[in-house]
Amino acid sequence: MPSATNIGAARRLATGTAANRPPARAFQKKRSAMGRNDKGHVGFIGLGTMGREMARNLLKAGHSVTAFDIVGSAVEELASAGAVAATSPAQAAASADIAITMLPDTPQVEEVVYGAQGLLASPPAGRLIVDMSTISPVAVRRIHADLKATRTDFIDAPVSGGPIGAKNAALSIMAGGEAEAFARAEPYFRAMGTTITHVGAPGAGQAVKLCNQLICGINIQAICEAIALGRASGVDLEQLRNVLLGGSAASWMLEKLGPAMISGDVGAGFRIDLMLKDLRLVQEQAQALSVPLPGTALVTSQYIEARAHGEGANGNQALFRVYDRMTNRA
């Protein structure tokens, strides 16, 4: 049994002294910024395949959302779910605690930030902007610096998980930026994702996302090659997939996209065009840093071939059509 002296020491260690105990005010402020019950007002800009589901999940979590998209019907659809419609990015963000953008590429994000009705001229009331698109890390650092000059924090927080992850609020979110800004954004991230990681300084989120896309692209290519070889060998492709899922070749892509490859379903989830954009960003980053990526270069050429054959609007699994053409099965 521990002695009374030891018990007293343990209590002092657990409670701390007045000198070393954190101030109650600071602790409460941190809890408020990070607490799971925090609700706020979000200006959400970009209601495409991913964005509309992410905005819906923010509403489901109890946040209020004011939304903008260049496609009016997308705004009307979200308004029917409880959002407030806006007619410009500035209006969407005007009274928001946080503005979130989810857009196709770097130029669209730059237009929303720097445009006449953009966020640089009219920052959100909470002075916090989070871009969850996949864009250039170089652009991210420039945007961060320009917004910082207006006392507005900027977080780059691209996501992985695709439309399914967006719908199920199960995205992986990788965020770059200052730790305090990340802490302010985290309660909103919890409404959209399950794996939420602060990966470093501004631009680090995009760097991690590009590494993610590199792996995804090469993984899809490997699955295409395995299915092509299995088909030529006369193997039952469903059995092939099930066996591979039970061993070291298992992957998210094989589980989620394998059935569509086998059945010939090219319906869009994450489109060929968007993956090709991401692979372009990967190669730009690699060239700037003198990192050779021969596998990425090869799969990029196959995505280019797919788009040249009119597959750009099809889902990622349509890369298998390249192998159909190469094996004279098209």
Side-chain angles (χ1 to χ4, degrees):
M1 177 178 293
S3 69
T5 301
N6 288 339
I7 292 172
R11 285 174 177 166
R12 286 193 297 275
L13 182 63
T15 60
T17 65
N20 63 22
R21 192 162 49 239
R25 185 181 183 88
F27 178 73
Q28 290 169 357
K29 183 177 180 181
K30 184 177 180 183
R31 285 288 298 272
S32 175
M34 301 286 284
R36 290 184 180 275
N37 294 321
D38 287 355
K39 306 301 174 191
H41 182 189
V42 183
F44 203 102
I45 302 157
L47 302 174
T49 303
M50 299 286 289
R52 65 173 177 252
E53 301 297 343
M54 294 160 69
R56 281 181 181 274
N57 284 325
L58 286 163
L59 287 167
K60 290 175 184 176
H63 301 291
S64 60
V65 175
T66 301
F68 172 76
D69 192 279
I70 59 172
V71 178
S73 59
V75 179
E76 292 170 8
E77 181 183 343
L78 195 68
S80 69
V84 175
T87 58
S88 70
Q91 188 183 62
S95 60
D97 299 304
I98 179 175
I100 296 176
T101 55
M102 186 60 177
L103 299 161
D105 202 349
T106 307
Q108 288 79 29
V109 175
E110 291 177 329
E111 175 62 25
V112 164
V113 172
Y114 295 108
Q117 294 292 313
L119 301 179
L120 184 64
S122 303
R127 296 281 173 172
L128 177 60
I129 297 172
V130 176
D131 177 51
M132 305 189 77
S133 323
T134 302
I135 65 171
S136 162
V138 174
V140 162
R141 289 189 287 272
R142 182 177 66 252
I143 293 169
H144 174 272
D146 290 341
L147 286 169
K148 199 70 176 175
T150 70
R151 297 178 293 106
T152 301
D153 289 322
F154 182 74
I155 293 286
D156 57 299
V159 303
S160 180
I164 296 172
K167 184 173 184 178
N168 295 332
L171 293 169
S172 176
I173 301 172
M174 50 217 84
E178 284 88 357
E180 183 179 350
F182 171 79
R184 291 171 59 203
E186 191 174 5
Y188 303 95
F189 291 154
R190 289 198 193 103
M192 299 178 282
T194 51
T195 303
I196 301 159
T197 311
H198 182 212
V199 296
Q206 294 298 342
V208 172
K209 176 60 185 292
L210 296 184
C211 292
N212 181 87
Q213 295 306 84
L214 178 161
I215 292 171
C216 289
I218 294 175
N219 187 208
I220 292 170
Q221 180 194 36
I223 296 166
C224 290
E225 294 197 359
I227 292 176
L229 180 60
R231 181 174 64 181
S233 302
V235 172
D236 181 281
L237 297 183
E238 288 289 353
Q239 284 190 341
L240 171 65
R241 174 177 169 272
N242 289 336
V243 170
L244 296 179
L245 283 174
S248 58
S251 70
W252 189 97
M253 292 295 180
L254 180 59
E255 179 186 356
K256 304 298 184 184
L257 299 187
M261 290 183 185
I262 292 168
S263 69
D265 177 4
V266 298
F270 190 79
R271 303 192 307 275
I272 290 280
D273 277 341
L274 288 176
M275 182 57 117
L276 188 53
K277 178 266 295 186
D278 290 354
L279 292 172
R280 170 179 54 78
L281 292 172
V282 170
Q283 299 227 55
E284 288 175 359
Q285 181 81 340
Q287 289 170 15
L289 299 173
S290 299
V291 178
L293 299 178
T296 302
L298 176 57
V299 74
T300 300
S301 70
Q302 293 185 346
Y303 271 91
I304 291 172
E305 194 268 11
R307 186 170 67 180
H309 282 85
E311 310 272 11
N314 290 334
N316 252 325
Q317 70 276 13
L319 191 69
F320 189 69
R321 300 272 283 267
V322 173
Y323 286 84
D324 283 343
R325 288 184 283 273
M326 288 195 294
T327 57
N328 200 29
R329 298 287 188 115

